[in-house]
Amino acid sequence: MLAGRNAGALEALAAPHGLEWQAVTLAQKQRLRDVVSGAAVVLNTAGPFAATARPLVDACLATGAHYLDITGEVPVVETMTGRDEEARSRGVMLMPAVGFDVVPSDCLAAHVVRRLPEATLLRFGVDVSSSLSLGSMLTSFSQADDGIPIRRDGRLMTIPPLTATHLFDFGHGPEQALAVSLCDVATAPRSTGVASVEAYMRGSLRLWAALTATRTWGPLLASPIWRTAVASQASWFAPGPSEQARQEGTAVIVVEATDARGRRACSRLRTPEVYTMTAHTAVAVVERVLGGAARPGFQTPSRVFGPDFVLGLDGVSRQDI
């Protein structure tokens, strides 16, 4: 069943597939619980998740439905870890970030730590071909003044944009990557036990420009006035990559682990384009949960489904380097 706030959009989406639908807003708490009560699992795809995750998690905990989402927002994941005990007591699984961020990277990290069990530091490198949708862009703006999250010895902290770089081999030799905000800094320690985590993206001109703007105009970009101005000009932006870009695009993830003795293990994962991969991973996780593969409490993909789960998806390959 589909659910959302816009009845017209829901009906148009549901009709071609013969799906049931229900219109409901997050402010309608009792109605939201009534809608969720008929579900075994809820997949939240509506961002920004800082606004949508909590009401839906509340509804899931109240009704016993497992909760999934496709967030890429570190604070959302961190907040959800704090509800682990509550979820366990109610027999509900909370598994945020079941899209491109973090299913493939989480599984790859678990594989790398399997190769180097005494790892003390994980570095994630990502190279993607697609551009941000308007929704993702607005979410990025909302976090623009918060800095880049990293984890040091178990403690989450932030650094200014453009202050950390690292070299990764995405398949064409070492390339510089810039520290960015990815949910792996929240999920990887719980998946692998490694207490220090950093996340990077290949340093394209587009990324340099975006991080420069964030560092220079962070408070402005994070302001409601700026977000409203950008949203009002939605026609300027593509809603996401074109169908051709999604079919032809690819992504590469590299995870590098090091231990206290300087030993190193590194593996590379190739996947379909980011938005396509998100659809594949989210559906695959839903199918696993409906099949009974759920554990109460806050969980991550590799902890529940194992490091090799992602290899069962079309277009995914892994290489130890």
Side-chain angles (χ1 to χ4, degrees):
M1 181 182 71
L2 299 178
R5 63 184 180 181
N6 188 317
L10 285 170
E11 185 175 18
L13 183 61
H17 305 286
L19 298 174
E20 296 180 11
W21 59 272
Q22 294 270 6
V24 59
T25 69
L26 296 177
Q28 297 172 302
K29 293 183 179 181
Q30 186 55 55
R31 175 159 171 72
L32 185 63
R33 291 186 181 187
D34 291 341
V35 171
V36 170
S37 66
V41 57
V42 170
L43 172 63
N44 177 13
T45 63
F49 295 89
T52 64
R54 182 171 181 173
L56 280 168
V57 168
D58 288 344
C60 287
L61 291 173
T63 60
H66 300 302
Y67 174 87
L68 312 171
D69 67 32
I70 56 170
T71 188
E73 302 164 41
V74 174
V76 171
V77 178
E78 283 290 300
T79 298
M80 219 168 292
T81 64
R83 308 193 73 171
D84 175 67
E85 185 175 342
E86 182 183 3
R88 288 179 187 274
S89 69
R90 296 174 182 268
V92 170
M93 184 174 77
L94 305 179
M95 185 182 286
V98 299
F100 178 82
D101 188 11
V102 300
V103 173
S105 52
D106 190 63
C107 289
L108 186 61
H111 169 70
V112 172
V113 173
R114 185 168 58 183
R115 297 177 58 207
L116 188 66
E118 296 180 14
T120 57
L121 170 64
L122 289 177
R123 291 189 176 98
F124 292 76
V126 179
D127 181 17
V128 301
S129 61
S130 58
S131 58
L132 289 178
S133 67
L134 175 61
S136 295
M137 188 181 300
L138 290 174
T139 298
S140 298
F141 287 163
S142 72
Q143 302 176 68
D145 199 31
D146 295 336
I148 304 297
I150 63 173
R151 196 173 290 274
R152 282 282 181 271
D153 298 322
R155 185 170 66 92
L156 191 67
M157 56 185 293
T158 60
I159 59 174
L162 303 175
T163 57
T165 64
H166 192 70
L167 293 177
F168 293 91
D169 184 355
F170 296 108
H172 305 285
E175 296 184 81
Q176 189 178 60
L178 306 172
V180 295
S181 177
L182 294 176
C183 283
D184 299 280
V185 300
T187 55
R190 294 163 177 91
S191 297
T192 66
V194 179
S196 296
V197 181
E198 301 167 359
Y200 298 82
M201 188 169 290
R202 186 179 67 81
S204 65
L205 289 176
R206 184 173 58 196
L207 180 61
W208 275 101
L211 290 178
T212 299
T214 296
R215 187 170 184 180
T216 305
W217 299 300
L220 172 62
L221 296 179
S223 70
I225 293 176
W226 178 258
R227 285 171 53 83
T228 300
V230 172
S232 70
Q233 302 299 326
S235 60
W236 294 359
F237 305 95
S242 66
E243 184 63 29
Q244 181 178 356
R246 289 185 59 179
Q247 290 179 359
E248 298 176 355
T250 60
V252 178
I253 302 170
V254 177
V255 174
E256 175 189 276
T258 55
D259 67 11
R261 290 188 282 177
R263 294 181 299 179
R264 176 179 174 274
C266 190
S267 297
R268 182 166 55 221
L269 194 76
R270 296 186 182 276
T271 80
E273 181 273 336
V274 171
Y275 288 86
T276 297
M277 189 62 182
T278 291
H280 290 176
T281 57
V283 170
V285 171
V286 168
E287 290 175 343
R288 286 292 187 99
V289 175
L290 289 175
R295 299 179 189 172
F298 175 87
Q299 301 293 347
T300 62
S302 67
R303 283 177 64 182
V304 178
F305 311 125
D308 300 329
F309 167 63
V310 71
L311 297 181
L313 302 179
D314 291 342
V316 177
S317 62
R318 187 176 68 201
Q319 179 184 14
D320 296 333
I321 55 178

